[in-house]
């Protein structure tokens, strides 16, 4: 999951309580925000693709997303083939809200080839 990959990358994702405390201390009311992914509908109607990654966002700090990645689920809800406008409510929340984004990488790693060699 994206949460697991963020953990592996050493990213601290604040809890809802921490985010609410910061907002309250700053005198701000809770607002809806995203995770820092710009999404765009794909021309072949296969669903949303990552079009941009906002600097210093949870998505950028997790270092798992790339432009062109295909979003396939949000918090376990299958979003394949759905338009960005349809999935926005699933990805937006109050600061500190944790979501799980399932995706198919635009450039999957190919482990075959000359990356590994085995000595006899």
């Amino acid at each position: 999951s994206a949460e697991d990959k963020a953990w592996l990358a050493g990213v601290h994702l604040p809890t809802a309580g921490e985010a609410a405390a910061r907002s309250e201390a700053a005198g701000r009311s809770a607002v809806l925000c995203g995770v820092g992914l710009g999404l765009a509908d794909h021309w072949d109607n296969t669903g949303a693709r990552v079009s941009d990654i906002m600097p210093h966002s949870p998505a950028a700090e997790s270092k798992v997303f790339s432009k062109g990645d295909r979003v396939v689920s949000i918090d376990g809800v299958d979003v394949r083939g759905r338009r960005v406008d349809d999935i926005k409510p699933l990805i937006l929340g109050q600061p500190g809200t944790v979501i799980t984004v399932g995706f198919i990488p635009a450039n999957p790693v190919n482990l075959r080839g000359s990356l590994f060699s085995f000595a006899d």
Side-chain angles (χ1 to χ4, degrees), residues 20-44:
R22 280 198 312 260
S23 292
E24 188 175 312
R28 295 183 305 230
S29 62
V31 295
L32 294 181
C33 66
V35 293
L37 289 176
L39 300 177
D41 294 315
H42 197 259
W43 61 269
D44 65 0

Side-chain angles (χ1 to χ4, degrees), residues 37-43 45-52 69-71 74 79-92:
L37 289 176
L39 300 177
D41 294 315
H42 197 259
W43 61 269
N45 293 324
T46 56
R49 306 287 170 113
V50 175
S51 61
D52 196 21
D69 290 349
R70 186 173 144 207
V71 178
I74 299 172
V79 297
R80 289 177 282 195
R82 292 174 62 182
R83 299 185 57 78
V84 171
D85 289 339
D86 295 337
I87 65 174
K88 255 186 205 176
L90 299 174
I91 207 163
L92 295 177

